[in-house]
Amino acid sequence: MSEQRARPVPKPGVLDIHAYVPGKSRAPDGVTLHKLSSNETPFGASPRVQAALADVAAHLELYPDGQAGALRQAIGEVHGLNPARILCGNGSDELLGLLAQAFLQPGDEAVHTEHGFLVYDIYIRAAGAVPVVAKERDERAEVDAILACVTERTKIVFLANPNNPTGTYLPAAEVRRLHAGLPSHVLLVLDAAYAEYVRRADYEAGLALVAEHENVVMTRTFSKIHGLAGLRIGWLVAPEAIVDALDRIRGPFNLNAMAIAAGAAAIRDRDHVEKTVAHNDEWLERLTTGLSALGLRVTPSVGNFVLVHFPEAAGRMAADADAFLTERGFILRRVTGYGFPNALRMTVGSAEANAGVLRALEEFLGR
């Protein structure tokens, strides 16, 4: 009998991770595609980005600036921040992963909310730590539930504010109450990927809290309102000691030259941002009103998407609606993995796409 050969085995916990599944991006042949599954902006990137990319394209043989200095400088100018407290990454996803690598080890715990971004669980487990899930109420994070999950083993609390896929948010006073209830050694990570879309007087992305405390980090992305999802650009602001720790473990050229140039151009184009926000404000309200008028429950959202809940009736459920819409070229996002088996998340798209979904759902529900 031949001896069985050993093979490499991943470390404990890796095979317990459920791989992240992105939104669909294809429609059947013969229909116009309206991709509303990934919260992408219908306006694309700033016109300034093309000029910035053309300059870089002439020198692709050169390594990028390993410190992403031009991008950090631009972010600092726009937000009034010290560039030394900014770190850029290959999407905010990479930065969330670096935080987990740097501050979690086997036996530690990290808290995220019930319907929070799926990558939190992935990165917590990848670091060998234990994810702890805080229950939400009415699809909204609840401070007392989060604090009740904190133990002596807790090292990080991840909070998406606003949250994806629900679109709900915690007011600044509640975020501050959450921070006040955490031990000083616990890191509060505020994931503000959709902050630019929020128009609520009681909302803060987290910049002030980071400036005031040594255990708060805020992450942001260029993938949403800036329309640069294809280039994968994220950034965070944190105390310099945390930036220093992350800088030691990130890849030496984790942001490519095109991303650096495009990000710096995009964040300075405030007119483009405001145009996108205005469109989102109009259609977020119109979609919420229109979908509700069809008898569908919509979770109140402050992002660039809505979570739409379907009836518990044969032929009228989310899976049925998804198939019906897909046949007509409207690609929404199934959110079963987020704990919503009978809901779809719809990005606020172009006027044509938004109106088309409303018409299609009216037809679907009236069959």
Side-chain angles (χ1 to χ4, degrees), residues 79 81 190 204-212 218 220 235 237:
H79 291 284
L81 300 171
L190 301 174
E204 291 180 0
L207 292 174
L209 208 60
V210 173
E212 296 164 7
M218 183 203 69
R220 298 282 276 270
W235 63 278
V237 59

Side-chain angles (χ1 to χ4, degrees), residues 145-216:
I146 296 172
L147 292 176
C149 291
V150 176
T151 72
E152 68 277 3
R153 293 185 294 277
T154 305
K155 295 295 174 61
I156 300 179
V157 171
F158 291 100
L159 178 67
N161 197 35
N163 187 55
N164 167 34
T166 59
T168 56
Y169 76 103
L170 280 185
E174 281 295 276
V175 176
R176 287 181 176 273
R177 185 167 75 86
L178 170 62
H179 177 263
L182 295 175
S184 60
H185 70 276
V186 173
L187 184 63
L188 175 60
V189 179
L190 301 174
D191 180 353
Y194 298 93
E196 291 91 347
Y197 287 106
V198 185
R199 290 298 182 265
R200 295 291 189 277
D202 61 351
Y203 174 78
E204 291 180 0
L207 292 174
L209 208 60
V210 173
E212 296 164 7
H213 301 282
E214 294 299 310
N215 65 332
V216 184

Side-chain angles (χ1 to χ4, degrees), residues 14-28:
V14 170
L15 297 183
D16 294 329
I17 295 171
H18 296 285
Y20 183 82
V21 179
K24 294 187 299 181
S25 60
R26 291 188 177 183

Side-chain angles (χ1 to χ4, degrees), residues 26-34 325-331 352:
R26 291 188 177 183
D29 293 339
V31 299
T32 301
L33 171 66
H34 295 285
L325 291 167
T326 297
E327 289 175 0
R328 288 151 181 79
F330 300 106
I331 310 301
E352 178 188 1

Side-chain angles (χ1 to χ4, degrees), residues 349-362:
S350 67
E352 178 188 1
N354 298 334
V357 170
L358 290 175
R359 287 193 300 270
L361 285 176
E362 183 177 14

Side-chain angles (χ1 to χ4, degrees), residues 262-274:
I267 200 167
R268 289 189 170 108
D269 191 345
R270 308 314 294 169
D271 289 341
H272 188 72
V273 169
E274 290 306 317

Side-chain angles (χ1 to χ4, degrees), residues 67-338:
Q67 298 298 317
L71 180 55
R72 290 167 51 235
Q73 183 66 35
I75 294 168
E77 288 176 10
V78 170
H79 291 284
L81 300 171
N82 178 358
R85 302 187 69 176
I86 296 169
L87 188 71
C88 298
N90 189 242
S92 57
D93 295 0
E94 183 195 21
L95 299 172
L96 294 168
L98 290 174
L99 287 163
Q101 288 181 50
F103 293 95
L104 295 175
Q105 58 185 335
D108 289 342
E109 295 176 351
V111 179
H112 63 83
T113 63
E114 182 180 6
H115 303 299
F117 191 23
L118 293 176
V119 301
Y120 306 148
D121 182 272
I122 292 172
Y123 287 137
I124 293 165
R125 293 180 187 273
V130 179
V132 179
V133 180
K135 284 289 187 180
E136 297 183 12
R137 178 183 292 180
D138 299 326
E139 291 135 24
R140 186 184 306 273
E142 191 168 48
V143 170
D144 292 330
I146 296 172
L147 292 176
C149 291
V150 176
T151 72
E152 68 277 3
R153 293 185 294 277
T154 305
K155 295 295 174 61
I156 300 179
V157 171
F158 291 100
L159 178 67
N161 197 35
N163 187 55
N164 167 34
T166 59
T168 56
Y169 76 103
L170 280 185
E174 281 295 276
V175 176
R176 287 181 176 273
R177 185 167 75 86
L178 170 62
H179 177 263
L182 295 175
S184 60
H185 70 276
V186 173
L187 184 63
L188 175 60
V189 179
L190 301 174
D191 180 353
Y194 298 93
E196 291 91 347
Y197 287 106
V198 185
R199 290 298 182 265
R200 295 291 189 277
D202 61 351
Y203 174 78
E204 291 180 0
L207 292 174
L209 208 60
V210 173
E212 296 164 7
H213 301 282
E214 294 299 310
N215 65 332
V216 184
V217 173
M218 183 203 69
T219 64
R220 298 282 276 270
T221 181
F222 281 79
S223 296
K224 305 307 178 185
I225 203 162
H226 296 296
L228 295 176
L231 286 178
R232 312 303 303 127
I233 312 169
W235 63 278
L236 63 73
V237 59
E240 289 191 46
I242 292 176
V243 171
D244 176 65
L246 301 181
D247 213 20
R248 294 168 186 265
I249 62 171
R250 70 173 176 86
F253 299 104
N254 63 327
L255 215 59
N256 66 70
M258 286 196 165
I260 293 169
I267 200 167
R268 289 189 170 108
D269 191 345
R270 308 314 294 169
D271 289 341
H272 188 72
V273 169
E274 290 306 317
K275 179 180 75 171
T276 306
V277 170
H279 173 85
N280 194 72
D281 286 348
E282 176 188 353
W283 275 101
L284 186 64
E285 181 178 354
R286 291 177 65 172
L287 284 171
T288 301
T289 300
L291 292 165
S292 299
L294 295 175
L296 300 171
R297 182 172 74 84
V298 180
T299 302
S301 173
V302 296
N304 70 328
F305 55 89
V306 288
L307 185 65
V308 188
H309 305 265
F310 287 81
E312 296 285 346
R316 297 291 184 271
M317 299 181 74
D320 304 308
D322 185 43
F324 185 89
L325 291 167
T326 297
E327 289 175 0
R328 288 151 181 79
F330 300 106
I331 310 301
L332 276 61
R333 178 68 186 268
R334 295 294 306 278
V335 284
T336 301
Y338 285 95

